[in-house]
Amino acid sequence: MSDEGVSAWKDQSVQDLIETVQRFIRTEVVAHRETWERQRYVDRSVWRKAGELGLLCCSIPEEYGGGGGTIAHEFAICEVQGTALDTSWGNMVHSGIVAHYILAYGTEEQKRAWLPVMATGEVIAAIAMTEPGAGSDLQAVRTKASVEGDDLVIDGSKTFISNGHNAELVLVVAKTDANAGARGISLILLDTRDAPGFSRGRILDKIGQHGADTSELSFEGVRVPRASILGGEPGAGFRQLMTQLAQERLLVATTAVGAMETALRETLEHVRQRRVFGQSLYNFQNTRFVLAETATTARIARTFLDSCIERHLAGNLDASTAAMAKWWLTEQHVRVVDGCLQLHGGYGYMREYPIGRMHQDARVQKIYGGANEIMKELVARSL
Ligand SMILES: Cc1cc2nc3c(=O)[nH]c(=O)nc-3n(C[C@H](O)[C@H](O)[C@H](O)COP(=O)(O)OP(=O)(O)OC[C@H]3O[C@@H](n4cnc5c(N)ncnc54)[C@H](O)[C@@H]3O)c2cc1C
């Protein structure tokens, strides 16, 4: 299978990291996949091991305990996870999302309190936006954080929270002023180790991504110091979310491209060895056309992703283009995997075949990180 060579954003340090991550995913993640899929969460030990290898928060400055790299290093880790079909280890949320909220908006004290322990894996992080009554419409969140003296008292519930079962740090989206609309939303750093009234509900039973913990969280009179508001600025949460979400969308898009390339490789291997009607499945024109279409889609996807990542690294990726990348690449991801599964016949429907697993795991890509319809709204608004 020919390709266009190494993406320009993968400099030597990114390429070195990719090799380490590939090894790590093979030996420390994929090796435990069945256990984690049964229990529906990853063991905490994987976070510690990742921390020891410098794989956590590798895009956070060294002065805060991180690896001193750039966000390209996080994209690279996501891509390796996508390629290796790992959807269980929630590092994207931890290092690619929560750590960057803290770095971008946290007070010096918040950065020093949280980033070093996130980099070692002592603390696992989650972000809790979604509620039973508020997903796409973030302004509709009902979780509130009421001011009582020097404290905030949090009441409400969240659902679908990645890393929710394991997290010591939850970045909670809550209303500090119920009458101020988007300007009443704040992001609150909650230390779950010291939070009477905080509880974890079910680990949800998903149709795919079984090793990833996706949990319900509940807050009943949870008291935190007012200084726990991210950046110490009440009412800044919605603006902070809107600014950071573009990066989150690109991280999701990166896993989609890695997975598409793996789907193509897996399918090529299968059709070359599978014989039907006395010949290789590869020889049928339909097979060749599907493969040609898949290879073309994967190439365009890679080219678009690379251009988005390069623009993001240069600081000039607009929110609309990030939304385009999220909806289009995840749409292609699901479509490509479905076409590739078809060429596997019944074997494709078996989870022991990578393509079967990919099919189940891919579907949510069009929903989380902002539903694709919301992405199209963002694009349309910018035209
Ligand atoms: C596996 C998984 C992991 C997740 N991890 C996290 C996490 O870590 N933290 C977190 O906060 N959330 C998380 N989520 C939640 C996720 O971000 C939401 O599910 C998503 O934003 C959609 O919200 P919703 O499910 O409430 O759907 P709804 O908002 O009810 O939307 C349902 C559907 O309606 C359509 N729709 C909605 N609005 C519009 C519109 N304006 N125009 C046209 N169509 C529209 C879309 O098709 C959408 O899919 C996760 C979800 C899953 C499944």
Side-chain angles (χ1 to χ4, degrees):
M1 204 171 85
S2 67
D3 62 33
E4 287 183 312
V6 179
S7 306
W9 56 271
K10 291 177 187 160
D11 63 17
Q12 195 54 50
S13 75
V14 173
Q15 289 181 48
D16 292 346
L17 175 73
I18 287 174
E19 275 178 32
T20 309
V21 180
Q22 283 169 335
R23 251 193 326 275
F24 176 77
I25 296 286
R26 204 170 42 245
T27 56
E28 303 296 341
V29 175
V30 174
H32 301 285
R33 188 153 64 188
E34 282 184 23
T35 311
W36 294 349
E37 288 187 349
R38 263 197 309 277
Q39 68 191 25
R40 308 218 165 221
Y41 59 90
V42 304
D43 290 336
R44 302 190 58 84
S45 55
V46 73
W47 291 95
R48 287 294 201 159
K49 284 181 192 151
E52 281 160 22
L53 286 171
L55 303 182
L56 299 178
C57 300
C58 51
S59 57
I60 296 298
E62 285 172 7
E63 61 174 310
Y64 300 119
T70 69
I71 193 69
H73 295 87
E74 306 298 349
F75 286 120
I77 296 179
C78 283
E79 186 179 301
V80 173
Q81 286 188 276
T83 309
L85 314 187
D86 171 48
T87 54
S88 53
W89 177 43
N91 182 53
M92 181 201 293
V93 168
H94 177 92
S95 300
I97 299 176
V98 180
H100 279 270
Y101 274 98
I102 299 172
L103 183 67
Y105 307 112
T107 61
E108 196 53 31
E109 204 182 337
Q110 289 168 342
K111 290 183 205 175
R112 297 212 177 273
W114 290 111
L115 294 172
V117 281
M118 286 174 68
T120 57
E122 184 183 333
V123 159
I124 300 168
I127 179 163
M129 299 178 269
T130 307
E131 300 181 358
S136 303
D137 182 8
L138 269 178
Q139 290 194 43
V141 294
R142 294 182 60 185
T143 296
K144 60 177 186 182
S146 319
V147 179
E148 282 188 20
D150 285 339
D151 290 343
L152 290 173
V153 179
I154 309 174
D155 286 283
S157 60
K158 299 284 178 182
T159 191
F160 302 150
I161 306 307
S162 305
N163 295 342
H165 175 77
N166 272 333
E168 284 85 15
L169 169 63
V170 180
L171 189 57
V172 184
V173 177
K175 288 235 165 101
T176 38
D177 182 347
N179 300 317
R183 293 215 170 92
I185 293 177
S186 302
L187 303 187
I188 298 162
L189 293 153
L190 175 69
D191 187 338
T192 64
R193 295 166 296 189
D194 179 23
F198 167 77
S199 58
R200 304 176 209 263
R202 291 175 300 157
I203 300 181
L204 297 161
D205 186 12
K206 305 188 292 297
I207 62 172
Q209 303 204 350
H210 295 307
D213 98 65
T214 308
S215 301
E216 297 171 325
L217 304 178
S218 158
F219 313 85
E220 282 178 46
V222 179
R223 198 167 274 277
V224 295
R226 270 169 86 168
S228 308
I229 293 179
L230 184 66
E233 201 189 334
F238 198 72
R239 179 174 44 81
Q240 292 165 342
L241 285 164
M242 290 307 116
T243 313
Q244 286 293 308
L245 282 172
Q247 182 163 300
E248 174 179 348
R249 286 165 188 157
L250 214 46
L251 289 162
V252 173
T254 305
T255 62
V257 175
M260 268 188 263
E261 291 171 348
T262 297
L264 177 60
R265 263 195 304 277
E266 288 290 331
T267 308
L268 261 173
E269 204 177 305
H270 179 79
V271 299
R272 282 195 172 126
Q273 59 79 26
R274 179 74 179 164
R275 294 189 69 76
V276 290
F277 296 97
Q279 55 179 311
S280 164
L281 179 53
Y282 179 76
N283 290 337
F284 288 83
Q285 190 186 50
N286 176 65
T287 308
R288 299 169 70 81
F289 280 10
V290 171
L291 290 171
E293 288 163 15
T294 301
T296 308
T297 305
R299 177 73 61 84
I300 296 169
R302 163 67 59 195
T303 308
F304 182 35
L305 177 73
D306 284 351
S307 119
C308 289
I309 292 181
E310 278 152 28
R311 281 180 62 183
H312 187 57
L313 289 170
N316 60 22
L317 181 72
D318 58 289
S320 165
T321 308
M324 284 181 193
K326 197 279 169 176
W327 89 256
W328 194 79
L329 294 168
T330 57
E331 202 89 15
Q332 299 315 311
H333 176 189
V334 172
R335 201 179 58 80
V336 156
V337 166
D338 192 65
C340 288
L341 184 149
Q342 187 69 17
L343 291 179
H344 282 71
Y347 300 96
Y349 203 62
M350 303 296 133
R351 267 182 74 76
E352 67 188 270
Y353 277 72
I355 199 73
R357 171 185 298 276
M358 290 179 85
H359 197 266
Q360 281 187 311
D361 291 350
R363 186 59 183 83
V364 74
Q365 294 265 82
K366 300 205 295 186
I367 296 170
Y368 61 20
N372 282 3
E373 291 75 11
I374 299 290
M375 299 302 104
K376 291 178 195 174
E377 280 291 338
L378 292 174
V379 174
R381 257 182 244 165
S382 74
L383 300 177

